[in-house]
Amino acid sequence: GINAEYGVDLIPYFTELGFPCPDYRNPLDHYIDVVSVDRYTRENQDATEEKLRKLIQDYRRSTLYTTLMRELGKREDNEHTVPWGTEFSPCVLLYKLILLIHRMNINVVRSIRACGMRSTVGLMFALMLFAFILRLKNDQAGMQNRIGLLFQIVNGPTYFGIMNAVDLFPTLRDLFYRESMDGLYHPALFILSYFLHVLPFTTFTSLLFGTVGYWGIGFFPDAGRYVYFTAVFLVLMMQGESIAVMILGLISDPVLANGVISLVMSMSITVGSGFIRNFQTLHPMFEFLSYGSMHRYASSTLAANEFSGLNISCEHEVHCAYTTGEDYLKEAYPDAVERKGEHFSILACYCLLLLIICHVLFSAIRIPRLR
């Protein structure tokens, strides 16, 4: 915001100060670089700030400045300190946050594919499950169908979040690298704005999935359980997005990052869900590792949500494995009902933890890794 030159004689003025314009170079581009702060390294920043202070002082002692002040009828008698950096006032931070979210929303809305993918993936998933199962019954086959459906519901939203982030986040990440190097905003502001931008889309698609999937397929008819069901889907989708953002901060290639993320998620779901193999039958090492998997707490919450109080019919059944939902819970998730709220709280805390990790990661990686 401080003038370093004002007038039509741009090239002669800067040439006299020791900054000639190279041949075949656009003078405006060249002198914008001359009067810009280079924040690539701390040494470069200090050097360019000192250079700019000298340019401003030279300009204020020049005849150009004197003539301009005379024409405007003003004269600045006092020297002012050059305000390097940005003030971290709440109003400025809030304005930047709103601006970043607005820009991200505009970019998504402009793309029909991106907007549709973010908004309707939950509905498409619910319709697919509905077409495959139609309606759940309270018999042994229905019990088996419930277990398979819950496994898919624990598995699906994480990958939907990953899919969205891998497709849409790299462009925003590269833009952040360039703007952050210019000191426009802090990594924490970028990470927070991204997840606040994602949250309304994820909430909308989770509500679509919960409404169509829960009531359409015929899970336990209870409004409170519907809220838990939808909330687990929302949290898992946000966690998938968070994990993808974290890995994309380490690996610039989206294809390679997608492979790494898929491998990590497959291991987490296999060991931590409890639907493939009961925790009691796992090797002690894998059972210990499962406590660090978010899918353990999601599976436990959904199992308690669906099987608690469920009565299973055994009429015309050759083999009756379960007569109530509690029979399955005692076998697979012994303390799921009593700790349902606690397990969901742990699951939700993963979102905050992943958000903090993303902030730390992008704060540490200040140099763009675009190649």
Side-chain angles (χ1 to χ4, degrees):
I2 305 296
N3 285 342
E5 198 276 339
Y6 184 90
V8 294
D9 299 326
L10 186 69
I11 297 177
Y13 174 80
F14 277 105
T15 300
E16 185 178 347
L17 295 178
F19 299 96
C21 180
D23 294 337
Y24 310 110
R25 178 79 185 273
N26 187 326
L28 292 178
D29 290 339
H30 175 68
Y31 289 118
I32 285 176
D33 292 338
V34 169
V35 299
S36 297
V37 176
D38 183 358
R39 291 185 172 89
Y40 194 80
T41 64
R42 185 64 188 177
E43 293 76 14
N44 288 356
Q45 180 174 340
D46 292 341
T48 51
E49 288 180 355
E50 181 60 33
K51 176 187 69 176
L52 285 180
R53 288 190 183 92
K54 186 176 184 305
L55 285 173
I56 292 169
Q57 291 171 1
D58 290 341
Y59 172 63
R60 286 180 172 174
R61 288 193 294 262
S62 68
T63 56
L64 284 174
Y65 179 78
T66 305
T67 303
L68 177 64
M69 291 298 102
R70 186 182 302 116
E71 290 175 355
L72 296 177
K74 301 177 182 178
R75 183 174 298 275
E76 294 184 3
D77 298 322
N78 301 321
E79 293 293 327
H80 300 283
T81 303
V82 180
W84 302 118
T86 303
E87 294 293 332
F88 291 96
S89 65
C91 292
V92 172
L93 293 176
L94 181 61
Y95 175 77
K96 289 184 177 181
L97 179 65
I98 294 173
L99 192 63
L100 287 171
I101 295 173
H102 178 69
R103 185 175 68 179
M104 293 177 187
N105 288 337
I106 291 296
N107 289 336
V108 169
V109 171
R110 283 176 176 172
S111 171
I112 297 177
R113 178 187 62 83
C115 188
M117 185 172 65
R118 280 209 176 278
S119 303
T120 63
V121 63
L123 177 62
M124 296 298 104
F125 186 48
L127 292 175
M128 183 197 73
L129 295 179
F130 178 76
F132 186 73
I133 297 294
L134 295 180
R135 292 287 292 182
L136 288 170
K137 298 179 180 179
N138 292 349
D139 55 12
Q140 297 300 305
M143 187 70 182
Q144 190 174 27
N145 287 338
R146 281 178 170 84
I147 296 172
L149 279 173
L150 292 183
F151 173 72
Q152 291 299 325
I153 292 166
V154 168
N155 190 8
T158 310
Y159 282 102
F160 298 151
I162 292 170
M163 176 181 66
N164 286 330
V166 169
D167 183 48
L168 303 174
F169 181 73
T171 302
L172 298 174
R173 175 201 60 188
D174 297 344
L175 181 61
F176 155 73
Y177 282 142
R178 292 191 291 271
E179 293 179 340
S180 179
M181 293 299 293
D182 290 334
L184 298 182
Y185 48 84
H186 194 269
L189 211 59
F190 169 69
I191 294 297
L192 181 59
S193 65
Y194 178 76
F195 285 106
L196 289 177
H197 148 71
V198 166
L199 185 59
F201 292 97
T202 308
T203 302
F204 177 74
T205 196
S206 299
L207 288 171
L208 285 178
F209 172 79
T211 302
V212 176
Y214 193 85
W215 301 113
I217 294 175
F219 286 101
F220 198 101
D222 181 82
R225 300 193 186 198
Y226 158 75
V227 173
Y228 262 106
F229 180 87
T230 305
V232 169
F233 187 93
L234 168 65
V235 171
L236 285 174
M237 198 166 173
M238 290 297 295
Q239 289 174 356
E241 192 111 23
S242 303
I243 291 169
V245 167
M246 185 174 62
I247 299 299
L248 286 166
L250 294 171
I251 303 173
S252 60
D253 183 6
V255 177
L256 179 59
N258 190 33
V260 173
I261 298 164
S262 299
L263 178 61
V264 172
M265 287 297 97
S266 297
M267 294 173 60
S268 175
I269 293 168
T270 302
V271 174
S273 69
F275 289 120
I276 298 177
R277 188 170 178 179
N278 291 345
F279 298 122
Q280 291 80 2
T281 63
L282 284 175
H283 187 279
M285 180 184 70
F286 290 115
E287 184 182 5
F288 174 76
L289 292 174
S290 71
Y291 284 99
S293 169
M294 60 191 182
H295 295 100
R296 179 184 180 112
Y297 307 103
S299 301
S300 176
T301 303
L302 288 178
N305 200 57
E306 177 59 23
F307 293 116
S308 176
L310 183 68
N311 294 316
I312 305 299
S313 172
C314 285
E315 294 182 7
H316 312 296
E317 298 286 350
V318 176
H319 177 65
C320 189
Y322 306 105
T323 58
T324 64
E326 278 79 4
D327 294 340
Y328 173 73
L329 290 175
K330 290 176 184 177
E331 177 184 304
Y333 304 94
D335 59 348
V337 177
E338 296 79 6
R339 303 182 66 183
K340 176 180 169 182
E342 178 185 342
H343 286 169
F344 179 77
S345 298
I346 295 173
L347 178 66
C349 286
Y350 269 86
C351 287
L352 180 60
L353 177 63
L354 291 170
L355 185 66
I356 294 172
I357 293 174
C358 288
H359 160 59
V360 172
L361 182 64
F362 277 85
S363 296
I365 303 176
R366 289 302 192 97
I367 300 176
R369 298 182 178 182
L370 305 182
R371 296 288 184 266

